[in-house]
Amino acid sequence: MRTLICAALIAIGSTSVFASVDDEKAIKEIIAAIEYGWENGDGTPFRKYFLDFEGARYVESGGQNEGLDDLVTNHVEPEKDALEYLHLDFSDIEIHFEGGFAWAVADTRVKGKVRKNGHEFDKAGRQTFLFRLVEGEWKVVHTHSSSRDYRPKKHEH
């Protein structure tokens, strides 16, 4: 009897481990698509992976966009014309799950050059993504990023 109970618990645990691996992979793919969207001024990944709902807020270094359309049309897409280039890197992504809810925290590095005045920037910080499982798919419901001028660590050259 004890063997049967242990086997059942292992089977249940294995199923949730595989689900977590699939969920983690899906969330990392969404984050990569968002990175692509920012770098290319392409709102498509945002419209595909963000849950559009009344009250949605997306916060970046003290500013905010209210709603998905505001984020895409007033922030993501205009940057392709305003910036000569934009390179964004999300790294050291940590993902946590709680039922049908997940959150990811990542280190960020963003570099770019403003077309109008030639100003180049290099910033580093943190990004948080909040996700909700909707009809079997993970959707971004909130983001918050904060960055400051990049400062190399003492051991970096």
Side-chain angles (χ1 to χ4, degrees):
M1 181 68 166
R2 205 180 307 171
T3 305
L4 183 60
I5 291 171
C6 287
L9 289 173
I10 289 170
I12 290 168
S14 298
T15 303
S16 66
V17 167
F18 290 125
S20 272
V21 169
D22 290 343
D23 290 336
E24 187 169 317
K25 181 181 177 207
I27 286 176
K28 284 185 177 180
E29 287 173 359
I30 291 169
I31 291 171
I34 291 167
E35 185 176 309
Y36 169 87
W38 277 118
E39 287 181 333
N40 294 282
D42 183 354
T44 305
F46 296 86
R47 295 198 189 281
K48 180 176 181 179
Y49 296 115
F50 279 54
L51 185 63
D52 192 13
F53 64 98
E54 189 169 335
R57 302 272 190 285
Y58 308 102
V59 179
E60 182 178 328
S61 294
Q64 83 173 351
N65 290 99
E66 296 183 20
L68 181 58
D69 193 56
D70 181 37
L71 174 67
V72 171
T73 61
N74 294 318
H75 197 119
V76 175
E77 293 175 341
E79 286 192 359
K80 71 179 168 226
D81 296 325
L83 299 175
E84 192 171 308
Y85 71 88
L86 178 68
H87 177 71
L88 175 62
D89 181 45
F90 294 123
S91 62
D92 295 325
I93 300 169
E94 298 174 22
I95 302 171
H96 306 274
F97 297 94
E98 185 67 38
F101 182 76
W103 64 98
V105 179
D107 289 339
T108 60
R109 182 87 182 266
V110 60
K111 299 178 185 181
K113 183 174 183 179
V114 179
R115 190 176 308 277
K116 188 175 184 178
N117 61 14
H119 173 73
E120 292 189 74
F121 56 88
D122 182 358
K123 299 197 174 276
R126 302 286 286 166
Q127 172 84 35
T128 303
F129 299 92
L130 304 183
F131 297 86
R132 192 169 95 200
L133 194 57
V134 179
E135 298 175 2
E137 293 185 11
W138 289 103
K139 297 289 184 176
V140 176
V141 295
H142 180 73
T143 62
H144 189 135
S145 69
S146 181
S147 63
R148 60 182 173 203
D149 289 339
Y150 174 72
R151 290 181 239 153
K153 295 177 182 162
K154 290 183 182 188
H155 63 276
E156 291 181 28
H157 290 79

